[in-house]
Amino acid sequence: MFDIDKWQEILATIKKNKMRTFLTGFSVAWGIFMLMILLGAGNGLSNGVSENFMRDAVNAMWLWSGRTSIAHQGLQENREIRFTNADYDILKDLEGIEHTSGRYYIGGNTFSYGSEYGEYTAVTCHPDLKEVESIEILEGRFVNQVDINETRKSVVLGKDIYDALFKEKDAIGEYVRVNNIPFKVVGICKEGGGTRHRNAYIPVSTGQKVFNGSNRLHNFALTINAETLEESQAIEKRVRETLARKHKFDATDESAMGSYNKLEDVIQTMKIFQAIDIFIWIIGIGTLIAGVVGVSNIMLIVVKERTKEIGIRKAIGASPASVIGLILLESVIITTIAGYIGLVLGTGLMEGLNFIVEQQYATSAATNGGNGETLFRNPTVDINIALMATGLLIFAGAIAGYIPAKRAARIKPIVALRDE
């Protein structure tokens, strides 16, 4: 392995056949380079989509009421289903539900502070909405249970509302007027999953009382205790059947009650990306195999060209092992150097692309209230996977070199010396 004469001979052979060595190394380097590009691109797309999902709780579920489309228990179709506070009490204690918030929307409201004013949306809610919709508190706090119990006129402003009304002045403890009714600012927030923060959050009990909502709720935002698709669907079925019994509509009637189960989408999407990852590996490994086959073919040519030389070596006492070692080492050297070059170029390109993507993401976040927009994020390859792929390539290159080396070792000296 550390025989200087052997290394000098291999280097001399490589220098003598520069074009052949270059083409062989290029096929190997291209294989590992393309594998890095494919894996990085797959990771970037998967990370971007996953991040968009994570902006709300992954296990979130939304329910909204509508009109029946199926006659049920003697009741006609086209009945309006109206959720109430009693439904909230049922859902929050239902098995499989973690966080629950009823929501009552008050659209087209004028918010004012001093001489500043604007039209924004007021959302009345329960405290758990913060967890369901991943609302980030920038200052102060979110709506709490004391606000609900005491019907406090508290409000949490979205970042865009705060910027428009307060112009970077302190807002906590100040009063804004919503439809000319004063509400005390208790917090400033960013909405999860959005780049515009134009909602204001008010205790549901206060909103219903002040804005004539009675006990009405427009929809529910929930998180469910499920990890698999089957568990998620079972909880969704339980929720539908529970509310269907209470409001007397068919549980299969999507028009009476609509629902969106985010966990189902997340699981289905991740399955798609798992399939894409498998496809990427198949293509990448196929490219590597093509490179290894190229190395094997070149080694076969090398053996044929050096048949007489091998015969002379064996005639003067060279062992089959030394002949195998010489050819095998040349194969490993070419594969290792070319594989390393492909690895460096592939990972370097992905890191450069990642830098550009992060710069664009930061620019987008700066202009969209801190939430960048992208479907492509962190397109890099795990270093362990990269090293494993390179090691696998070197091992395959050794095998590719061993086959012609074994053939060379079997050549009889007399036959090799006669070969012209």
Side-chain angles (χ1 to χ4, degrees):
M1 178 68 181
F2 298 101
D3 188 338
I4 295 178
D5 291 338
K6 184 180 292 186
W7 282 92
Q8 288 177 339
E9 185 174 348
I10 290 172
L11 292 176
T13 302
I14 291 175
K15 289 180 180 179
K16 182 180 177 182
N17 302 278
K18 293 180 182 179
M19 180 57 68
R20 184 181 69 194
T21 303
F22 169 77
L23 293 176
T24 304
F26 178 79
S27 65
V28 173
W30 182 254
I32 196 73
F33 174 79
M34 287 305 300
L35 180 61
M36 295 300 101
I37 296 299
L38 289 170
L39 290 177
N43 287 339
L45 186 59
S46 178
N47 292 337
V49 173
S50 297
E51 182 169 315
N52 288 335
F53 272 126
M54 295 300 179
R55 287 179 174 176
D56 290 327
V58 173
N59 59 339
M61 181 188 297
W62 288 268
L63 310 172
W64 57 93
S65 59
R67 289 182 174 274
T68 60
S69 62
I70 302 173
H72 184 68
Q73 294 182 353
L75 300 173
Q76 294 182 346
E77 60 185 47
N78 201 34
R79 289 183 298 113
E80 182 181 8
I81 303 300
R82 296 170 65 91
F83 291 149
T84 66
N85 292 337
D87 296 313
Y88 166 79
D89 294 332
I90 292 172
L91 288 177
K92 69 183 179 65
D93 295 326
L94 197 63
E95 182 183 357
I97 303 298
E98 291 182 334
H99 299 287
T100 310
S101 174
R103 299 192 295 186
Y104 175 67
Y105 278 99
I106 311 164
N109 298 283
T110 301
F111 284 67
S112 62
Y113 175 77
S115 60
E116 303 294 337
Y117 64 92
E119 295 286 329
Y120 304 102
T121 300
V123 181
T124 72
C125 63
H126 293 88
D128 279 1
L129 188 66
K130 178 178 178 294
E131 281 69 33
V132 179
E133 297 194 350
S134 301
I135 296 172
E136 178 186 356
I137 300 299
L138 303 178
E139 293 183 44
R141 62 174 177 83
F142 196 64
V143 172
N144 61 30
Q145 193 59 44
V146 178
D147 293 327
I148 302 291
N149 295 339
E150 299 182 2
T151 61
R152 290 177 175 177
K153 292 179 181 176
S154 304
V155 63
V156 180
L157 300 179
K159 182 67 164 51
D160 291 357
I161 304 176
Y162 161 75
D163 290 340
L165 298 183
F166 287 90
K167 311 295 184 184
E168 298 185 356
K169 293 186 294 185
D170 290 337
I172 305 300
E174 296 293 322
Y175 284 83
V176 298
R177 303 185 77 85
V178 182
N179 290 343
N180 213 31
I181 299 172
F183 280 79
K184 184 178 180 178
V185 178
V186 297
I188 300 167
C189 69
K190 288 182 180 178
E191 300 159 27
T195 57
R196 302 181 69 195
H197 314 288
R198 299 172 61 85
N199 286 343
Y201 300 93
I202 295 171
V204 65
S205 56
T206 306
Q208 290 172 333
K209 182 177 180 180
V210 172
F211 297 104
N212 301 318
S214 183
N215 65 344
R216 175 74 190 278
L217 294 173
H218 287 112
N219 55 53
F220 292 103
L222 321 168
T223 57
I224 58 178
N225 185 18
E227 296 181 358
T228 66
L229 183 61
E230 292 73 20
E231 291 175 346
S232 172
Q233 291 173 336
I235 294 173
E236 182 178 1
K237 181 180 179 182
R238 186 182 305 129
V239 168
R240 294 191 66 87
E241 290 177 346
T242 300
L243 293 178
R245 282 194 301 269
K246 182 177 183 298
H247 292 277
K248 294 182 173 57
F249 65 85
D250 191 305
T252 62
D253 190 351
E254 297 286 344
S255 296
M257 188 185 80
S259 63
Y260 170 65
N261 189 340
K262 187 173 183 180
L263 185 60
E264 291 185 10
D265 274 1
V266 172
I267 292 173
Q268 295 292 351
T269 302
M270 290 304 105
K271 285 183 179 179
I272 292 173
F273 278 108
Q274 288 173 1
I276 291 175
D277 285 342
I278 293 172
F279 182 68
I280 287 173
W281 272 104
I282 291 173
I283 295 176
I285 291 174
T287 308
L288 292 180
I289 291 174
V292 171
V293 170
V295 173
S296 181
N297 289 336
I298 292 299
M299 289 299 105
L300 286 171
I301 295 173
V302 168
V303 169
K304 186 174 182 179
E305 289 181 349
R306 299 173 66 183
T307 298
K308 190 171 184 178
E309 175 194 332
I310 291 171
I312 294 173
R313 284 177 175 276
K314 296 193 72 175
I316 62 176
S319 65
S322 66
V323 174
I324 292 175
L326 182 67
I327 298 174
L328 193 61
L329 187 57
E330 181 177 344
S331 172
V332 170
I333 289 174
I334 294 174
T335 307
T336 302
I337 295 175
Y340 179 75
I341 292 173
L343 174 66
V344 171
L345 292 177
T347 54
L349 179 61
M350 286 294 98
E351 288 294 339
L353 182 59
N354 182 46
F355 176 78
I356 295 172
V357 168
E358 289 302 316
Q359 292 296 314
Q360 293 177 339
Y361 183 84
T363 302
S364 175
T367 57
N368 289 296
N371 283 332
E373 292 182 319
T374 182
L375 288 176
F376 197 74
R377 191 86 192 273
N378 192 25
T380 55
V381 182
D382 186 284
I383 186 63
N384 293 324
I385 294 178
L387 292 176
M388 181 182 69
T390 305
L392 180 64
L393 180 64
I394 294 171
F395 176 73
I399 294 177
Y402 177 78
I403 296 173
K406 190 72 174 176
R407 178 181 175 184
R410 291 174 179 170
I411 298 176
K412 296 180 180 180
I414 190 66
V415 174
L417 293 171
R418 282 192 317 213
D419 188 22
E420 294 292 339

